[in-house]
Amino acid sequence: MTATAYSSSDVFDTWAQVYDEQPNPLLMLEQRFLSQILPDVSGLDVLDAGCGTGRWLQLLASRGPASLTGVDSSHKMLHRAATKLGAACSLRLGSCVALPIPTAAMDLVVSSFVLSYLESLQNFARELHRVTRPGATVFLTDMHPETAALCDWKRSFTHEDSTETVPAHRYSLQEITDIFQAYGFELLTNIQPDFDSEEKKVFEDNGRPELYEACAKLPAIYILQLQKKVLLQKAPSGNFGTLRLIAGRCTFGPCAATGALIEIERGQISFVSHKMPRRTGMSSSSSETIDLSNYLLLPGLINAHDHLEFSLFPNLGTGPYLNSIEWAREIHRTYASVIACHRKVPKPTRLVWGAIRNLLCGVTTVCHHNPLSRELVAADFPVRVLSRFGWAHSLTMDPNLLHNFDHTPPHLPFLLHAAEGVDAKSAQEIFDLDRLAVLDERTVLVHGLALNKKAVSLINQRRSALVVCPTSNQFLFSSAPSATLIKSLNAVVLGSDSPLTSAGDLLDEISFARREIGLDDQSLFEMVTTRSASVLRLRNGEGRLRPGSVGDVIAVRDKGLTPAQTVSQLTFDQIELVILGGRIQLASDALYACLAKPLQAGLCPLLIEGHKRWLRAPIDELLSSARKTLGNDIRVGGKRVERVSAA
């Protein structure tokens, strides 16, 4: 094999011929992380500067931008991109330091593995400042300069049995960020992932495992997210502090996690960095830091279906039943005294216990399938409860279904129980709903146990979604949704239902779905994070950890697993920290002891099945209120809770 040096004018045209065919662990690593932290691009004007053969353009096109433009200096790279994208994108031949783009035309820019090939970073930063609008977001990625120098990495590719070298520069990360900040861009994200098992396999398959070992645990790439500053900004009101979380690893997707520091300001994640906090003029008194070096940070989980006021109830029913109506009739006949006793506990008390049941398992956002009372939207409620959606109980039990559906705005979801049973009547409900024109892209059905292939096809055709609550179905009907059913639907998420019928909490649903149904770890992770956020049409970045997202974070001991593997194996006792909108709502005893005094304020201790947790809730009042009616044996989602000393 020979080595050939090409001039920069033709090397990329040559590379285009093999670019998509040759596996590249750097690009694999970038894909795994950047695909997870890209924001919603729907309605945005998007540019890929240095688009190559259209690798990122394909993904961006699938996410519904208002316009999509790719610029590259290689005619043959653009030709390859055109064959993939067709009319989905405008492709332009040009230089990144003289972009053929009008001024102030773009809302988001991606520039993947480009900076090292540029003669002048200043000119590129100047051009991006020119073509972007105020507030625009820019993502820059490339080979990590320090690791490249240490391991003597070269830019090269193989073509016709020759190794072709690509001329490149090695800019330091400090140099890059300083230049872009000088041109009006603020750094929001700086992550530096290292290779993992997926990339290791590429090295091994190509007979070069020693190359992997040489750079193992070293940052292989960098991903920078910058935002163009808005010239006129309102001065912030009030005295807002910053919460800094120094993580062992931070989650960026089901299979992507790397060391990072997260800063949360005004309830939102404002900054994500590989090492150092943002350089600001903020005094130390206005910020608090929590060292979570041995922890994995995950986004707060989303429970797509619950009835919070039933949190103190036990399982009721002897089953199996044919449908939910049969169950409802029996429990009101057989367990009337139990129901009456639990209803004597004030409803506000029961609702807060329902929130605690979710908080204990890392849930920060709950869809409560019942009337919205003022307690649920109070600023001090322990979890976030959805308020913007329409709902009805079910086709057979809610005479206001059509009225409620017609009065739900088109941009909000509409939830109802459907096909909750195993008989023909339950199976027919989907088709009856369709005849009533209640199935559309807003509709979120709950349970769906009786769905058949024809019903699944109809739901997919109408672009409706389904929430499954498998342990509830198992208790009532001795049957749970199959993996085949779940995988055949386009949009499926997970809910816990209430302790009247379920096994415990959302983590119990995840465990059951993994163990008994056979759902894979990645699907389960998405069903309680990003996919739930999409189905419920959440718009504040719930289910993700990235700048601009709401500051909902949970911390668990890092066992070296992927985020998806971690979530699928979680139990409530492993949840050691829950942050809701930047405010600590739950802490283990070990982490509570590490918190600064201002962060400890308002947290009260509670013993749950022998595990002590500090919760932002009036624990003594809640226990006293429940014990007046139910006695001393108080159980939340089946778990015994007790008062415990603060010592």
Side-chain angles (χ1 to χ4, degrees), residues 26 29 113 116 141-153 155 169-173 176 190-195 218-224 274-275:
L26 291 168
L29 181 61
F113 285 84
S116 295
T141 75
D142 212 333
M143 181 187 293
H144 197 282
E146 293 177 15
T147 304
L150 184 65
C151 298
D152 196 27
W153 286 349
R155 310 292 178 119
H169 303 274
R170 193 171 287 156
Y171 300 111
S172 72
L173 287 173
I176 295 167
N190 170 10
I191 59 173
Q192 302 168 37
D194 54 307
F195 292 132
L218 295 175
I221 64 171
Y222 65 80
I223 299 176
L224 305 180
H274 180 65
K275 291 180 180 178

Side-chain angles (χ1 to χ4, degrees), residues 300-322:
L301 305 184
I302 301 169
N303 185 351
H305 181 71
D306 200 345
H307 302 281
L308 293 172
E309 71 264 41
F310 298 125
S311 57
L312 299 175
F313 280 70
N315 282 161
L316 296 182
T318 55
Y321 306 95
L322 293 175

